């Protein structure tokens, strides 16, 4: 390949890169070091043959934090741009930028004893206002979040999702005393609750298994 590049003036190497499989895992540092050593060897052989020195990059977000001697000419900041630190070494210095919002499109009062949602999985133990919000499982809101398993934020209050999540809509139990109005923003995750809150609460059985 190097000989082909050298003999063809129309081919220009813009950069040389590889990817670390376990940059955030101290238990795999020996393997990571071997990856970086092999990368250095291959780069030296390539540049000797083609006679140029294209920029190198091998570090992702975790690698930038843990292997600063290998920043080379470029790095690839990925998850760090979103405020995620998989090394858990500087999480307090990063601002989470993920926010998922919906809107209240209807508020309806239901009486004690009403069943809510598919398969009647939720039951009202007292009179309550329910807010219909315009997000469902077709939009990526997992059905595991329904039936009281997760709360969303409207203004400064957390309210539980009641009933099974539908394809395009979900129901929020506002109780009897609230100041929620049609058109209000509904924070599925953002500053509070964060994306970690929904992932930990809803994916915990999966994470424990794998």
């Amino acid at each position: 390949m190097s000989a082909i590049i050298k003999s063809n003036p129309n081919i220009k190497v813009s950069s040389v890169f590889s990817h670390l499989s376990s940059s955030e895992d101290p238990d795999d540092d020996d393997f990571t070091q071997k990856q970086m050593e092999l990368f250095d060897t291959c780069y030296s052989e390539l540049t000797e043959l083609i006679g140029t020195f294209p920029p190198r990059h091998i570090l992702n977000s975790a690698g930038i934090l843990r292997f600063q001697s290998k920043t080379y000419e470029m790095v690839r900041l990925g998850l760090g741009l979103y405020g995620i630190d998989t090394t858990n070494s500087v999480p307090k210095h990063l601002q989470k930028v993920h926010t998922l919002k919906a809107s209240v499109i209807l508020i309806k009062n239901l009486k004690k004893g009403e069943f809510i949602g598919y398969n009647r999985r939720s039951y009202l133990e007292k009179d309550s206002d329910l807010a219909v919000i315009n997000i469902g499982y077709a939009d990526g809101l997992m059905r595991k979040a329904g039936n009281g398993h997760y709360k969303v934020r409207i203004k400064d209050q957390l309210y539980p999702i009641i009933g099974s999540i539908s394809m395009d809509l979900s129901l929020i139990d506002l109780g009897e005393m609230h100041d929620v109005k049609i058109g209000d923003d509904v924070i599925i995750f953002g500053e509070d609750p964060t994306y970690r809150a929904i992932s930990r609460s809803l994916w915990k059985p999966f994470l424990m298994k794998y």
Side-chain angles (χ1 to χ4, degrees):
M1 181 61 71
S2 299
I4 293 174
I5 294 171
K6 185 178 181 179
S7 63
N8 193 327
N10 295 318
I11 298 177
K12 180 181 179 181
V13 180
S14 297
S15 69
V16 179
F17 70 94
S18 186
H19 189 72
L20 301 176
S21 70
S22 315
S23 59
E24 77 284 355
D25 187 357
D27 292 335
D28 235 2
D29 278 357
D30 286 345
F31 181 79
T32 299
Q33 292 292 344
K34 290 178 181 177
Q35 275 193 280
M36 292 188 292
E37 290 170 6
L38 179 59
F39 179 71
D40 288 340
T41 299
C42 291
Y43 183 80
S44 296
E45 293 176 355
L46 175 66
T47 55
E48 184 176 348
L49 284 168
I50 65 176
T52 62
F53 297 87
R56 300 160 289 175
H57 48 104
I58 195 172
L59 299 183
N60 57 2
S61 294
I64 294 168
L65 291 170
R66 302 194 63 243
F67 302 101
Q68 295 179 20
S69 64
K70 296 295 183 179
T71 55
Y72 299 124
E73 291 76 41
M74 295 189 292
V75 294
R76 301 190 302 271
L77 184 62
L79 290 175
L81 284 170
Y82 298 93
I84 298 174
D85 172 21
T86 56
T87 70
N88 204 33
S89 59
V90 293
K92 294 181 180 179
H93 299 282
L94 298 178
Q95 180 180 353
K96 307 297 184 295
V97 298
H98 300 74
T99 300
L100 177 61
K101 293 182 181 180
S103 297
V104 176
I105 61 173
L106 178 68
I107 297 175
K108 187 172 183 178
N109 181 264
L110 294 180
K111 301 301 181 183
K112 175 182 177 180
E114 294 277 4
F115 288 96
I116 308 299
Y118 287 121
N119 304 108
R120 304 192 306 161
R121 289 203 173 106
S122 287
Y123 173 84
L124 286 181
E125 297 182 354
K126 60 181 180 180
D127 293 355
S128 186
D129 283 348
L130 268 58
V132 181
I133 64 173
N134 58 349
I135 188 171
Y137 63 78
D139 306 297
L141 181 58
M142 293 177 291
R143 299 198 82 185
K144 290 181 179 181
N147 301 299
H149 294 137
Y150 188 69
K151 295 181 179 181
V152 299
R153 180 171 293 279
I154 307 176
K155 297 181 178 177
D156 295 323
Q157 184 70 37
L158 291 173
Y159 297 100
I161 299 174
I162 188 171
S164 296
I165 290 172
S166 303
M167 180 179 290
D168 302 302
L169 304 169
S170 301
L171 297 173
I172 310 301
D173 188 353
L174 302 175
E176 296 180 277
M177 301 294 294
H178 64 86
D179 62 350
V180 176
K181 297 182 290 295
I182 292 174
D184 283 346
D185 285 340
V186 181
I187 306 301
I188 312 302
F189 57 77
E191 289 187 14
D192 181 27
T194 67
Y195 75 94
R196 288 185 180 272
I198 191 169
S199 61
R200 286 172 176 168
S201 62
L202 302 182
W203 284 99
K204 185 175 181 181
F206 177 86
L207 294 173
M208 290 177 65
K209 181 177 180 181
Y210 294 97

